[in-house]
């Protein structure tokens, strides 16, 4: 347990992030902690590199709505003081805390106070005796460092910890955590260290952490992004967990990639829907698809969806039309339907006349380029008759893109 958050043993994968403020700046640090907590962080870590930071820690722990981990490097006395300040957990790297003896002092202190530790090994700070192995086999070196740390804690009869191994290399992160998960029975914290910018870092983390989480490895995660907005890390972490169906939080938005069939400004619609969905906590699934027939077919599982065309679009639920509306009112009407659904106790309220009108509109706008099973059968039959069907783009409503059978 890190305060009230269970870690490991089948508990939900916990989302962590780290504040980017100067920890001793109480106002800034507390504001960022509240922001990340609102975004869904289960646990927050703060850097404690100086005396004034450890002095601020007591207030931070007391006022934080989520558990606080003190992040300590190099100075074992700061780790002792962080435990005294009531940190919910202390993160230390035995490779840079001054040797096994100093690490042992911190471990004994944590044991006496019931404070959990996160012990981490980083590819950049492996102990001296593993440097040669690191050169030959970096994965084995990381895992050996982690196992040695675990053995140290077990010798001291301390088991209230989780372990992290971090590397900037995604393949090494995956390989080393897979190996470590076989060798030790303790919870693992996952992260790709110095992952990069919001774009590249999110992708590296999604690949590295996603692969491990899909294997059932990993009990807490942190997405390291080069941004001052720590809540962005939390949002990415949640998207990974939601994609793997490991946890649910807030709405799920599905949007098609668009193609030449698109006839309305879908970019703006997606951005607006995403923005307005932030006000909802429920895991309602919303689909935005660019054209009528594919849209309704591909989004049969969505609680609500919109599909647009040039001037008119349609709102539907679970693949069934609800109403047609002018394109510029699509988003407002979508949210009116969502709100009506919640007001009715999560029941879709369908006006049959409007639904029939939407069905007619859908039929009129049916895309006859789709290779449905029926059309494929007709094409095969025509080919078997020796009359290979020709395609003609003469009636294309989207310059040169839409083909119909001649
Ligand atoms: S839903 Fe329509 S617009 Fe979107 S990618 Fe598919 S065919 Fe293209």
């Amino acid at each position: 347990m890190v305060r009230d958050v269970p870690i490991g043993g089948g508990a939900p994968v916990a989302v962590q992030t780290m504040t980017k403020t100067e920890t001793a700046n109480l106002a800034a640090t507390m504001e960022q902690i509240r922001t990340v907590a609102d975004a869904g962080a289960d646990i927050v870590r703060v850097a404690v590199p100086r005396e004034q930071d450890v002095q601020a820690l007591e207030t931070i722990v007391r006022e934080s709505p989520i558990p606080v981990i003190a992040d300590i490097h190099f100075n074992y006395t700061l780790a002792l003081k962080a435990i005294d300040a009531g940190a919910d957990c202390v993160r230390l790297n035995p490779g840079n805390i001054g040797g096994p003896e100093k690490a042992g002092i911190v471990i004994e202190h944590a044991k006496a106070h019931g404070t959990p530790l996160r012990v981490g090994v980083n590819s950049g700070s492996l102990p001296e005796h593993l440097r040669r192995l690191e050169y030959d086999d970096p994965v084995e070196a990381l895992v050996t460092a982690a196992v040695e740390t675990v053995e140290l804690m077990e010798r001291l009869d301390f088991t209230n910890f989780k372990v992290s191994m971090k590397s900037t290399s995604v393949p090494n992160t995956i390989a080393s955590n897979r190996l470590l998960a076989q060798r030790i029975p303790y919870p693992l914290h996952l992260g790709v260290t110095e992952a990069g910018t919001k774009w590249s870092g999110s992708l590296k983390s999604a690949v590295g952490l996603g692969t491990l989480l899909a294997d059932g490895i990993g009990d807490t995660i942190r997405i390291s992004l080069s941004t001052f907005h720590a809540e962005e890390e939390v949002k990415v972490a949640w998207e990974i967990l939601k994609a793997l169906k490991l946890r649910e939080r807030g709405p799920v938005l599905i949007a098609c990639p668009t193609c030449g069939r698109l006839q309305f400004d879908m970019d703006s619609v997606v951005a607006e829907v995403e923005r307005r969905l932030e006000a909802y906590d429920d895991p309602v699934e919303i689909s935005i698809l660019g054209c009528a027939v594919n849209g309704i077919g591909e989004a049969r599982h969505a609680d609500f969806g919109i599909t647009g065309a040039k001037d008119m679009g349609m709102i539907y639920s679970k693949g069934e039309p609800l109403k047609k509306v002018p394109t510029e009112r699509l988003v407002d009407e979508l949210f009116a339907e969502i709100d009506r659904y919640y007001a009715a106790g999560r029941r879709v309220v369908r006006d049959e006349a409007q639904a029939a009108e939407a069905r007619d509109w859908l039929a009129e706008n049916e895309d006859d380029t789709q290779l449905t099973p029926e059309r494929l059968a007709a094409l095969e039959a025509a080919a078997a008759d020796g009359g290979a069907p020709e395609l003609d783009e003469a009636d294309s409503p989207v310059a040169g893109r839409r083909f119909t059978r001649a």
Side-chain angles (χ1 to χ4, degrees):
M1 300 294 294
V2 177
R3 197 190 289 183
D4 54 348
V5 177
I7 306 290
V13 177
V15 171
Q16 291 194 24
T17 187
M18 192 164 174
T19 51
K20 289 139 193 283
T21 55
E22 194 188 334
T23 301
N25 182 339
L26 269 178
T29 301
M30 287 314 304
E31 188 187 336
Q32 193 157 72
I33 289 177
R34 289 193 190 97
T35 304
V36 300
D38 286 348
D42 298 303
I43 297 173
V44 67
R45 186 153 46 110
V46 298
V48 182
R50 304 163 308 173
E51 197 61 36
Q52 57 261 51
D53 300 312
V54 85
Q55 281 169 16
L57 197 59
E58 196 172 329
T59 310
I60 293 170
V61 172
R62 192 176 56 242
E63 293 187 4
S64 172
I66 52 177
V68 179
I69 301 180
D71 188 84
I72 315 275
H73 286 276
F74 309 119
N75 187 337
Y76 84 104
T77 57
L78 282 178
L80 301 177
K81 288 178 184 175
I83 292 169
D84 292 338
D88 296 298
C89 176
V90 172
R91 179 265 176 116
L92 73 146
N93 179 346
N96 69 23
I97 205 75
E101 199 180 311
K102 302 253 170 67
I105 295 171
V106 178
I107 291 164
E108 290 291 2
H109 203 59
K111 191 164 74 173
H113 285 74
T115 306
L117 297 180
R118 171 187 145 198
V119 288
V121 292
N122 276 36
S123 54
S125 56
L126 290 180
E128 197 63 45
H129 69 280
L130 293 174
R131 294 276 156 79
R132 175 74 216 177
L133 180 60
E134 185 183 15
Y135 186 76
D136 295 335
D137 187 344
V139 167
E140 186 57 40
L142 261 179
V143 174
T144 303
V147 170
E148 285 179 1
T149 302
V150 168
E151 287 168 351
L152 168 68
M153 289 187 291
E154 286 178 335
R155 276 200 301 279
L156 295 170
D157 200 22
F158 182 75
T159 54
N160 190 13
F161 61 85
K162 62 177 179 273
V163 182
S164 69
M165 277 182 313
K166 290 205 178 171
S167 164
T168 50
S169 153
V170 172
N172 288 358
T173 301
I174 294 171
S176 57
N177 278 286
R178 279 180 171 158
L179 209 54
L180 188 65
Q182 291 171 0
R183 292 194 191 168
I184 64 165
Y186 299 99
L188 297 183
H189 169 84
L190 304 181
V192 176
T193 194
E194 295 143 27
T197 60
K198 193 173 159 185
W199 171 244
S200 64
S202 299
L203 282 169
K204 278 163 91 173
S205 299
V207 172
L209 275 51
T211 302
L212 289 163
L213 290 166
D215 281 355
I217 296 170
D219 301 285
T220 74
I221 58 170
R222 190 244 171 141
I223 311 300
S224 301
L225 297 180
S226 187
T227 163
F228 286 114
H229 301 282
E231 66 276 16
E232 301 289 347
E233 297 185 352
V234 178
K235 288 181 190 169
V236 175
W238 273 103
E239 286 305 318
I240 294 171
L241 295 178
K242 280 158 68 173
L244 289 166
K245 307 262 182 231
L246 288 173
R247 290 184 71 180
E248 280 187 341
R249 179 186 164 85
V252 177
L253 177 61
I254 301 163
C256 85
T258 81
C259 70
R261 288 189 176 86
L262 188 70
Q263 295 175 59
F264 70 106
D265 178 10
M266 196 166 122
D267 257 8
S268 313
V269 168
V270 172
E272 177 66 6
V273 171
E274 188 173 38
R275 188 187 67 75
R276 286 167 68 164
L277 280 176
E278 283 181 9
Y280 294 75
D281 292 330
D282 207 44
V284 63
E285 190 171 307
I286 308 296
S287 148
I288 307 176
L289 298 171
C291 66
V293 174
N294 282 346
I296 201 155
E298 289 175 13
R300 209 160 273 139
H301 300 289
D303 293 301
F304 289 95
I306 57 181
T307 180
K310 200 167 178 198
D311 305 313
M312 279 288 172
M314 191 182 67
I315 297 175
Y316 52 88
S317 172
K318 300 279 183 196
E320 286 297 317
L322 285 181
K323 62 164 77 155
K324 70 167 198 180
V325 288
T327 310
E328 70 273 12
R329 290 219 330 266
L330 266 177
V331 178
D332 285 344
E333 293 289 340
L334 169 71
F335 280 90
E337 291 297 337
I338 295 171
D339 291 342
R340 199 167 294 137
Y341 164 78
Y342 285 119
R346 294 192 182 181
R347 193 172 56 81
V348 177
V349 183
R350 196 182 300 273
D351 177 320
E352 271 317 316
Q354 286 185 335
E357 192 185 30
R359 267 193 292 273
D360 290 347
W361 177 83
L362 187 64
E364 282 164 24
N365 287 274
E366 189 181 13
D367 181 348
D368 50 10
T369 65
Q370 276 209 116
L371 291 178
T372 59
E374 296 77 18
R375 273 197 198 106
L376 276 173
L379 284 168
E380 280 165 10
D385 287 350
E390 290 176 17
L391 296 173
D392 178 9
E393 60 181 303
D395 65 345
S396 168
V398 185
R401 304 265 185 182
R402 178 171 170 163
F403 294 84
T404 53
R405 283 186 64 197

